[in-house]
Amino acid sequence: MITIFKTGEHGLMTTIPAPEKGCWVSAVAPTREEQIWLEEELGVVPEFVRAALDPEETSYIDQDEEKEQVLVITDYPARDPDTVSEIPTFMTLPVGVVLMKGCIVTIAGEENEPVTELESGRVKVNTTQKTRLLLLLLLTISQRFILCLRQIDRLSNQTEARLYKSMKNRELLHMLQLDKSLVYFSSSLKADELTLNRIMRGKLIPHYTEDTDLLEDVIIEFRQAVEMCSNYSELNSRTMDGFSNVISNNMNDIMKELTVITLVMSIPNMVYGFYGMNVSDLPFPVTWFPLVLSAVLCIAVWLYFKHSRTFK
């Protein structure tokens, strides 16, 4: 779907039927016909369209000097629709921003929160200010990252609380899912930060004095998201390692108990096996003595292992 926006005289953003100078063209999950319209009618470089719609594309910035277009691809967080458990798994998807002579174009393969916030007017934008619109989109994406990271931290704390009560495979799998989301976030945030650093240099995208504060806010938000992702990932890894050690220790205790039980239960077999041999002239009666001897030996061995430091 392609929607064209333009900011009017009173600062209100409205939709228009055809592209004009100073407009914003938003393409969300465009069909093949809409992609051809972007390339042929609007003049967007075909490689830029394909790159923005590639779900595996990472964040970067590129320029086409011939057509004087700049492509900025940035990753935004989204929920994985293929998640089967009650714990949501997050992923990252690209959104492309093409800065052209007369307008700015955003291209996304799926409907997403950052672009929707700009379209709905919750974030006030001016379509004639291309650099500012790009920075507002980046700011919205960084805030979305922080929101998802806080949700991951909350889910991690809830899963950890359940692990203290009962160490089951389900909770450990949930921790693995959250760790997987943090890995995706970490990779995308690092790429986004590199792209933001290139934007800061101002070689490909012009800077304006009135956008200085906004650019600083974007930098701060992304650095905060990177720091939060790193801290949560480290805490999650340490938690999983700690519970893995606890499970390993519990398994060792179980194996010790089973070893003691096996040794104790083998004593009656040894005694009765000896008395079952074809042995004559035994000094003690066969009827009650093996039973008493087995009981005494079992109790003695059990007391020994109970007070042994090796099995404590």
Side-chain angles (χ1 to χ4, degrees):
M1 182 180 67
I2 294 180
T3 311
I4 306 173
F5 301 92
K6 187 175 181 180
T7 303
E9 296 179 356
H10 302 287
L12 297 176
M13 189 176 65
T14 58
T15 59
I16 56 178
E20 300 177 3
K21 185 177 180 180
C23 70
W24 166 31
V25 180
S26 175
V28 178
T31 62
R32 182 54 190 163
E33 291 75 16
E34 292 173 337
Q35 296 176 34
I36 294 174
W37 182 85
L38 289 172
E39 298 169 4
E40 297 181 356
E41 299 295 331
L42 199 60
V44 181
V45 178
E47 289 77 10
F48 288 177
V49 177
R50 289 193 291 269
L53 295 176
D54 185 2
E56 301 298 329
E57 197 69 62
T58 186
S59 179
Y60 69 95
I61 185 170
D62 194 9
Q63 181 184 28
D64 188 291
E65 296 182 356
E66 182 180 352
K67 292 189 175 182
E68 299 182 6
Q69 297 181 15
V70 177
L71 169 68
V72 179
I73 288 186
T74 180
D75 292 333
Y76 66 90
R79 285 199 177 191
D80 189 352
D82 297 330
T83 304
V84 294
S85 66
E86 61 270 22
I87 294 293
T89 302
F90 294 90
M91 57 188 296
T92 56
L93 293 172
V95 56
V97 182
V98 183
L99 284 79
M100 306 175 64
K101 272 188 175 182
C103 64
I104 183 171
V105 183
T106 58
I107 306 172
E110 296 182 8
E111 187 175 353
N112 56 88
E113 288 290 335
V115 174
T116 302
E117 287 192 15
L118 298 185
E119 291 179 348
S120 63
R122 291 196 294 267
V123 178
K124 188 176 181 180
V125 298
N126 190 329
T127 59
T128 60
Q129 300 173 345
K130 294 182 288 186
T131 301
R132 188 172 185 83
L133 196 151
L134 171 62
L135 293 177
L136 286 172
L137 178 61
L138 290 172
L139 180 64
T140 306
I141 289 175
S142 64
Q143 292 172 346
R144 186 68 183 173
F145 266 115
I146 292 175
L147 182 64
C148 292
L149 284 168
R150 287 173 179 168
Q151 186 176 359
I152 289 176
D153 182 52
R154 186 165 58 252
L155 292 171
S156 179
N157 291 334
Q158 294 174 358
T159 306
E160 183 179 348
R162 291 196 299 269
L163 272 172
Y164 281 116
K165 298 178 181 179
S166 63
M167 295 185 186
K168 296 181 179 180
N169 292 336
R170 184 182 63 181
E171 278 71 23
L172 291 175
L173 290 175
H174 290 170
M175 295 292 286
L176 283 172
Q177 287 180 325
L178 295 175
D179 193 57
K180 180 180 177 182
S181 300
L182 290 172
V183 171
Y184 285 142
F185 280 12
S186 177
S187 177
S188 296
L189 283 170
K190 289 178 181 178
D192 286 344
E193 194 174 23
L194 291 175
T195 302
L196 184 60
N197 290 333
R198 292 196 63 186
I199 295 175
M200 288 174 54
R201 298 188 187 104
K203 294 181 179 180
L204 299 179
I205 300 175
H207 289 178
Y208 300 96
T209 306
E210 58 270 21
D211 297 333
T212 303
D213 293 339
L214 178 59
L215 179 59
E216 292 178 355
D217 291 340
V218 174
I219 295 172
I220 292 172
E221 291 289 332
F222 265 103
R223 287 178 179 174
Q224 181 182 354
V226 170
E227 189 69 22
M228 288 174 62
C229 185
S230 177
N231 291 338
Y232 291 162
S233 181
E234 184 176 356
L235 287 173
N236 197 57
S237 298
R238 290 190 177 186
T239 301
M240 291 183 61
D241 291 340
F243 279 108
S244 297
N245 292 333
V246 171
I247 292 174
S248 179
N249 289 334
N250 291 342
M251 183 61 65
N252 291 335
D253 292 339
I254 293 173
M255 294 304 297
K256 289 178 182 179
E257 293 177 0
L258 291 176
T259 302
V260 172
I261 292 173
T262 302
L263 291 173
V264 172
M265 294 301 296
S266 65
I267 293 175
N269 293 332
M270 294 173 59
V271 174
Y272 279 93
F274 176 76
Y275 269 85
M277 296 179 183
N278 190 12
V279 181
S280 59
D281 299 331
L282 291 173
F284 302 102
V286 182
T287 54
W288 58 268
F289 181 74
L291 180 62
V292 175
L293 180 61
S294 298
V296 171
L297 291 176
C298 288
I299 294 173
V301 171
W302 178 75
L303 290 174
Y304 169 77
F305 284 122
K306 181 180 180 181
H307 296 88
S308 177
R309 291 184 178 180
T310 306
F311 287 84
K312 286 185 178 180

